Amino acid sequence: MSENTKSATKARLYDAFAASGKALASGKRLELLDLLAQGERTVDALAKAAGLNLTTASAHLQTLKQAGFVATRREGVRIHYRLAGDDVAQLFALLRKVAEAHQAAVPPARDAYLGEDASAELSREELRVRIAVGKAVVLDVRPVEEYQAGHIPGALSIPVDELTDRINELPEDLEIVVYCRGEYCVLAYDAVRLLTERGRRAIRLNDGMLEWRLSQLPVDAADLA
């Protein structure tokens, strides 16, 4: 193989790598991956959750599909999207951590979104210990469809926007460990603030369902109907 041929084939290889990077070069596409890491969803559901119109959501999803990051299945007239594999979820999680470590704009943007937080947090391993000895109730504050797609075994489901009205469903004598989608999910922060204001002992899991799955810890699925 000539040097010119080697150079051309190398360029094609790196251009192929770059195509994946281009597909990720959109905040909204990353948000869609974050939602799909929680479970399969229709285009309509994804558009609503991400605050997009259907046309824009469909265009972003097609870009992700062309890059091989998502897969689809058809059910009647509905198209359901899912991540193409756990490696996509791992890439997404790693991208966020690398950006936080090396991109100066990330920490202040994170703090502005999640808000000031002085509450305690605990690790997945600490949570498993507390569950085993019955010293905590685990609360999933994600939307119901995400809980149904997969949740920490034994976790209760009360979406954060229902928590004010349903707080009496939670025991008063146990610490409440709250989790949501992942490390950068604001739902758990909001829930802990609300619970604390109502006099409950509440603490956050320091990440969420994305990291729980990627650690290959047990996951339950349930139909609440």
Side-chain angles (χ1 to χ4, degrees):
M1 184 182 295
S2 70
E3 288 302 316
N4 286 340
T5 300
K6 285 182 180 179
S7 179
T9 55
K10 180 180 179 180
R12 285 197 297 272
L13 173 62
Y14 278 84
D15 284 343
F17 292 151
S20 293
K22 290 177 182 178
L24 298 177
S26 161
K28 279 300 180 182
R29 288 199 284 275
L30 292 180
E31 187 176 351
L32 290 169
L33 290 179
D34 192 14
L35 291 167
L36 288 170
Q38 307 301 310
E40 184 183 74
R41 292 201 185 190
T42 64
V43 179
D44 293 30
L46 288 165
K48 181 178 179 181
L52 297 169
N53 62 50
L54 280 174
T55 300
T56 303
S58 295
H60 282 314
L61 289 165
Q62 282 303 308
T63 298
L64 291 171
K65 184 177 181 181
Q66 288 166 7
F69 291 136
V70 301
T72 60
R73 70 176 179 88
R74 182 179 291 275
E75 184 178 37
V77 297
R78 291 180 177 271
I79 297 177
H80 298 255
Y81 280 83
R82 65 184 184 278
L83 293 186
D86 288 344
D87 52 352
V88 178
Q90 291 167 349
L91 174 63
F92 171 65
L94 180 59
L95 173 62
R96 297 194 306 187
K97 295 305 293 182
V98 170
E100 181 174 353
H102 300 285
Q103 170 58 259
V106 172
R110 175 202 60 206
D111 294 342
Y113 174 55
L114 299 176
E116 295 183 7
D117 182 65
S119 65
E121 59 183 23
L122 77 168
S123 68
R124 295 186 297 274
E125 187 55 39
E126 290 170 324
L127 175 57
R128 296 181 74 194
V129 170
R130 296 193 190 192
I131 292 172
V133 298
K135 288 188 176 181
V137 58
V138 184
L139 178 62
D140 186 320
V141 294
R142 298 173 300 156
V144 170
E145 61 268 22
E146 295 180 19
Y147 175 88
Q148 291 175 317
H151 56 268
I152 294 174
L156 303 178
S157 172
I158 304 181
V160 68
D161 57 359
E162 300 177 14
L163 189 53
T164 298
D165 296 330
R166 297 176 59 189
I167 193 169
N168 289 333
E169 296 179 23
L170 297 169
E172 297 182 4
D173 57 341
L174 288 176
E175 184 175 56
I176 302 166
V177 181
V178 183
Y179 76 92
C180 54
R181 290 167 179 154
E183 183 176 355
Y184 302 90
C185 177
V186 74
L187 304 180
Y189 286 79
D190 290 343
V192 167
R193 293 186 192 106
L194 189 155
L195 290 166
T196 301
E197 289 169 1
R198 298 299 180 89
R200 300 302 184 93
R201 290 187 296 132
I203 186 172
R204 281 186 299 101
L205 181 63
N206 64 0
D207 42 43
M209 199 64 217
L210 170 63
E211 295 83 2
W212 185 275
R213 284 183 183 274
L214 291 178
S215 296
Q216 298 185 331
L217 293 171
V219 174
D220 279 352
D223 187 350
L224 299 183

